[in-house]
Structure formats: C-alpha cells, structure tokens
Amino acid sequence: MRKRTICLLVVIAAAGGIWLNNTSRLSSRPPGIPSVLAHRGLAQDFDRADLDADTCTAERMLPPRHAFLENTIPSMEAAFALGADALELDVHPTTDGKFAVFHDWTLDCRTQGKGETRAHAMPELRTFDVGYGYTADGGKTFPFRGKGVGMMPSLDEVLQHFPNRRFNINIKSNDPGEGEALAAWLAALAPTERAGLTVYGGDKPIAAVKAALPDMHTLSRASLTQCILRYAALGWSGFVPEACRQGTLLIPINIAQWLWGWPDRFLDRMDSVDTRVYLLGPYAGGGFSQGLDEPELIDQLPDGYSGGISTDALDLVMPVIKRRFAPPA
C-alpha cells in the first residue's frame, strides 16, 4: 500500500509539473493582436465545392466584393492598406531567369495566353490580361476582362515596390532545381531583406533552399509534419525539436489547441527559435486547410492571441480582428 501511494504521488507530481510547464495561465506573454497573412493579397473568391488540381477557379468566381486581382501589385497595396502584416504570393521561373508572380501552372484559366507559365519570358507574360478569364455567371460576362493587362509582376518588382515588407513565397512545383534557382536569386539579397521572407512549397525544392540558405525561413509538408509529431512527443518538456526551428508553421485552428503550451507557452517557444506561426481554418483531411476565412472563426481565437493567422478573405475578417482585438479606449 505504501509503495502504491508513493507511485501515485510521483504521478501526480509529474502531471502537475507538466501542467505548470505548459499552462498559459502562468505565462508572462502580454495580450496582443494577431498578425495577418493575406493569401495571394486581396483576391477574388470562388466556389470551393469539389475542387481538384485542374479546376479553373476564375470560372467559379463568386460575385465580386472588391475590384482587385490576386498576385498583382494593386492587390498587394490594398491588402497592406487593410491591415495585412504579410502576404503570400506564388512564383514560377521564366525562360529569361526571372520569377513570375502568378498562381496557375498554365496561363489558360486566367489569361488569354496558352501553355505553361514557365515556358514564357517575363516581357511576354506582361502582355497577358490576368483578369481575362474571370466570370461569375458561367461565361455570360467577364467583369475583369481588359483590366489586368500588364499586371503580372516579377518577384524582384514586388520586393522593390514593397521594401521591408514580409512575404511568403510559394514555389508551385516539387522540382529541386527550382529551389536551387530561387535560392541563388535570394542569395543576392541582403540578409536583412531575406529576414522578412519565407519560402514554402514542395518538399524537394524547399530542402534545396534550406541547404543553400540555412538562415532562410522555410515550410514544406515534410517539415511541418516532422515538427508537429516531434513536438507532440517532446514539447511537454519545453523542448523545441530541430524541425520546428527557424521556419514558418501553418497550423489548422482545430489542431493548434492540442499543442503543448497552446497558446502562449507555445508561441513563446516558437519565438525563441525564430519561427513564425500562422493559424489556418479547421483541418478535415486531405491537403492544407483553407485560411481563417469566416468571421466566426476569429471568435475562436484565444483572448489576447498574438500569433498569426492566414486568410483568403482579408476584407471580411480584418474588421472583426480590429473590433475584437482593439486595445481598450
């Protein structure tokens, strides 16, 4: 009986120690305001039912809430003006050694052009109309046709236009050579310029970027999976696995609540290893979750939450964030 009592006390003491090491109630982290990552800037929304990799989302556009087109400089300006702290953009290598900022693998959906985006030089890509294919009524009208000519920017134009801003750069392939090419391009930037950038995408190109530029913030499915699983095993102690260090994490909101120390202790630990945290919408299987796009999801954020969120609907959620997290008058 005495031995059983001692064992029980040890278990209780261990559980209490783990609780104390992970409860946000004892954290000294001050309340804050979420940092906001705007996915593709201020973009047109679309019907997301039964999407696959080849779905032309421009043909599924919902009635426009604003006049901006994703991955364009006016869209980025509008997103920053609304209060975004960082923007996600998509890149493809071009035949003249640039990186075009454009989402689709081919030009056929959004523009009047044809073929793979990467099969063209940047001057030719600028001649296309990036608003050409958008329709909200099955092709009866095209409200942005003619309004997107010359609006596909290169990555260097974006960074020159927005110095000292934070961007997540999405590689749209799993080609390690593309990662090597982007790493070589990024290596020409000053370390202070690279500090605000994250590169994410396929496992192979991201591994190539990290190998060439160890100081680069990166994210891939492999790195995220390794981080979450290893942290689940060891994070109770406060230890942050190598896979979680100096990177960027996109974590579904329904997964985050199960992380050791969530929210404040977890955020403190990620801050201590220079890792950025952005919440996504609920994960329900399959690929990455969508962003926090429903205003109701903002109400699920912890009070005083000072980590990040990612959203595809900045115009809808930003007013709710400002209202809920506004400092007291």
Side-chain angles (χ1 to χ4, degrees):
M1 180 66 71
R2 177 183 174 86
K3 185 176 180 180
R4 185 179 300 174
T5 300
I6 292 174
C7 289
L8 180 60
L9 291 174
V10 169
V11 170
I12 293 172
I18 292 173
W19 182 84
L20 287 171
N21 198 39
N22 288 281
T23 178
S24 290
R25 295 180 184 179
L26 301 182
S27 172
S28 59
R29 188 181 188 90
I33 300 173
S35 60
V36 180
L37 171 68
H39 188 240
R40 304 188 207 171
L42 201 56
Q44 294 300 319
D45 203 359
F46 53 88
D47 182 358
R48 300 173 187 273
D50 301 319
L51 292 178
D52 60 40
D54 297 322
T55 300
C56 176
T57 57
E59 294 177 350
R60 297 173 137 217
M61 181 182 70
L62 298 176
R65 299 192 302 263
H66 54 75
F68 298 100
L69 298 170
E70 65 181 49
N71 280 321
T72 63
I73 285 178
S75 162
M76 298 174 196
E77 289 176 334
F80 283 129
L82 275 176
D85 300 284
L87 301 184
E88 185 271 356
L89 51 79
D90 309 287
V91 297
H92 300 266
T94 64
T95 58
D96 56 343
K98 300 288 187 179
F99 285 92
V101 178
F102 186 68
H103 176 269
D104 296 353
W105 189 266
T106 68
L107 298 165
D108 303 58
C109 171
R110 294 180 203 282
T111 83
Q112 78 276 36
K114 301 294 181 184
E116 294 183 357
T117 305
R118 63 193 55 224
H120 300 265
M122 200 65 228
E124 183 183 8
L125 290 172
R126 289 195 188 93
T127 68
F128 296 125
D129 177 5
V130 298
Y132 186 87
Y134 285 85
T135 179
D137 53 15
K140 296 177 183 178
T141 60
F142 293 86
F144 294 105
R145 186 166 288 185
K147 298 179 181 179
V149 178
M151 291 180 66
M152 187 188 304
S154 63
L155 181 58
D156 52 344
E157 289 173 322
V158 170
L159 297 188
Q160 288 167 12
H161 193 87
F162 299 100
N164 304 316
R165 286 292 195 173
R166 184 167 286 182
F167 290 93
N168 283 17
I169 301 169
N170 184 12
I171 295 177
K172 302 300 292 184
S173 80
N174 198 30
D175 179 2
E178 188 171 334
E180 293 168 1
L182 182 58
W185 188 91
L186 292 167
L189 301 178
T192 53
E193 295 176 293
R194 288 200 303 273
L197 305 178
T198 288
V199 181
Y200 80 105
D203 295 340
K204 293 178 180 179
I206 297 310
V209 170
K210 197 68 172 179
L213 296 171
D215 66 332
M216 197 76 214
H217 286 78
T218 57
L219 170 67
S220 67
R221 185 180 297 276
S223 68
L224 179 62
T225 301
Q226 291 171 11
C227 170
I228 296 301
L229 291 179
R230 293 173 186 176
Y231 186 79
L234 300 170
W236 59 270
S237 68
F239 176 74
V240 180
E242 187 64 32
C244 300
R245 296 169 181 257
Q246 198 168 23
T248 295
L249 302 177
L250 295 174
I251 303 176
I253 191 170
N254 58 332
I255 302 298
Q257 61 184 319
W258 299 107
L259 296 172
W260 293 108
W262 181 258
D264 292 340
R265 289 290 178 89
F266 178 80
L267 293 174
D268 284 339
R269 290 165 187 166
M270 295 304 112
D271 284 348
S272 73
V273 295
D274 193 22
T275 288
R276 299 158 187 162
V277 177
Y278 295 99
L279 289 179
L280 297 173
Y283 180 68
F288 278 125
S289 301
Q290 294 174 204
L292 284 175
D293 300 338
E294 302 294 332
E296 294 79 11
L297 289 172
I298 303 304
D299 291 328
Q300 296 182 22
L301 296 174
D303 291 339
Y305 176 69
S306 58
I309 73 159
S310 176
T311 182
D312 294 271
L314 182 71
D315 57 318
L316 296 182
V317 304
M318 201 70 220
V320 183
I321 290 173
K322 290 180 177 178
R323 183 170 65 249
R324 182 179 168 198
F325 292 91

